[in-house]
């Protein structure tokens, strides 16, 4: 992901909401990604980089969760990018609605840079764990991607992404949602998913 990483990291560090830590896990990259991560950690005190041998995305995410200190967690895949006020809008909703999880809309971007699909609700909803669990299992308006969501960090207690498995997010996010009491969706398109 070396060629995409600068855009990803710049989009996070230029957020209007600035009170966050950015944890980067270099999972045994063989390109220049590890050096790019180190460069960002040297230039911004909010960034912490960790290097490990390649163990897969699930292990990297679990490691980052253990290192996190904030009240809420968010995930951004290294080839994607986010809109400048994504976390600001989501944190505002989290506090105003006393939400354990906030979910924004996501758009998939083609190789040529055009929007191929927008996923998510076009109006705000407040859901219980039962309603949200049903929605995520339906996998239509609320897919089980870990990205495009913020989560109260305590929801991950006792929950990990399973290593050595395809679709590890599908095997995990419904458990996190089931641990929540209040889930909020917002109609804002904040996450850009490079397809």
């Amino acid at each position: 992901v070396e060629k995409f990483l600068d855009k990803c990291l710049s989009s996070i560090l230029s957020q209007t909401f600035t009170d966050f830590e950015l944890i980067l896990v270099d999972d045994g990259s063989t390109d220049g990604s590890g050096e790019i991560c180190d460069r960002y950690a040297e230039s911004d005190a909010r960034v912490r980089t960790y290097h490990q041998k390649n163990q897969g995305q699930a292990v990297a995410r679990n490691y980052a969760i253990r290192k996190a200190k904030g009240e809420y967690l968010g995930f951004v895949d290294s080839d994607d990018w986010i809109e400048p006020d994504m976390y600001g809008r989501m944190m505002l909703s989290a506090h105003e609605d006393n939400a354990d999880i906030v979910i924004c809309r996501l758009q998939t971007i083609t190789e040529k840079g055009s929007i191929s699909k927008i996923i998510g609700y076009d109006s705000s909803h407040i859901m219980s764990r039962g309603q949200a669990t049903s929605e995520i299992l339906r996998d239509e308006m609320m897919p089980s991607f870990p990205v495009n969501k913020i989560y109260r960090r305590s929801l991950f207690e006792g929950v990990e992404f399973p290593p050595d498995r395809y679709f590890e997010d599908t095997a995990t996010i419904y458990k996190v949602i089931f641990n929540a009491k209040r889930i909020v969706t917002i109609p804002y398109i904040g996450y850009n998913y490079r397809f």
Side-chain angles (χ1 to χ4, degrees):
V1 297
E2 179 181 17
K3 66 181 178 177
F4 306 122
L5 195 52
D6 274 315
K7 182 170 187 169
C8 173
L9 298 179
S10 295
S11 76
I12 298 168
L13 292 171
S14 62
Q15 290 290 294
T16 56
F17 176 81
T18 59
D19 185 20
F20 63 86
E21 60 182 343
L22 174 55
I23 300 170
L24 306 176
V25 181
D26 169 24
D27 186 45
S29 63
T30 56
D31 59 9
S33 296
E35 291 81 11
I36 293 170
C37 291
D38 288 338
R39 192 178 76 230
Y40 276 87
E42 289 166 10
S43 65
D44 193 313
R46 297 173 294 176
V47 181
R48 290 185 287 143
T49 297
Y50 299 95
H51 301 275
Q52 64 183 27
K53 68 177 186 173
N54 179 255
Q55 299 174 74
Q57 192 171 39
V59 173
R61 283 185 174 143
N62 293 335
Y63 184 82
I65 292 166
R66 287 193 301 275
K67 292 292 184 183
K69 296 181 178 131
E71 182 183 4
Y72 285 87
L73 298 174
F75 299 93
V76 180
D77 287 345
S78 50
D79 55 346
D80 299 337
W81 72 97
I82 60 177
E83 294 300 316
D85 55 348
M86 184 181 104
Y87 284 132
R89 288 183 182 221
M90 294 174 90
M91 288 301 295
L92 181 65
S93 180
H95 289 114
E96 284 181 349
D97 297 316
N98 191 28
D100 296 314
I101 298 173
V102 179
I103 305 168
C104 72
R105 297 176 87 192
L106 171 150
Q107 58 189 7
T108 59
I109 311 295
T110 67
E111 230 177 300
K112 294 182 178 165
S114 60
I115 298 166
S116 66
K117 189 176 187 181
I118 297 174
I119 301 169
Y121 297 94
D122 57 8
S123 60
S124 295
H125 296 275
I126 297 175
M127 298 182 191
S128 68
R129 75 177 62 160
Q131 292 167 314
T133 301
S134 281
E135 286 298 305
I136 205 150
L137 292 175
R138 236 182 242 116
D139 199 33
E140 294 167 358
M141 299 297 280
M142 189 189 297
S144 59
F145 308 135
V147 300
N148 84 306
K149 302 167 180 67
I150 60 170
Y151 314 80
R152 203 176 293 276
R153 183 165 51 99
S154 59
L155 300 176
F156 279 90
E157 288 174 17
V159 176
E160 286 196 337
F161 290 93
D164 301 321
R165 177 187 171 136
Y166 290 113
F167 303 109
E168 80 285 344
D169 46 3
T170 303
T172 308
I173 299 304
Y174 80 92
K175 295 176 185 175
V176 178
I177 283 179
F178 193 74
N179 285 342
K181 291 182 180 154
R182 195 171 172 90
I183 298 95
V184 174
T185 68
I186 59 173
Y188 171 71
I189 302 169
Y191 195 92
N192 299 289
Y193 181 92
R194 193 185 300 273
F195 189 72

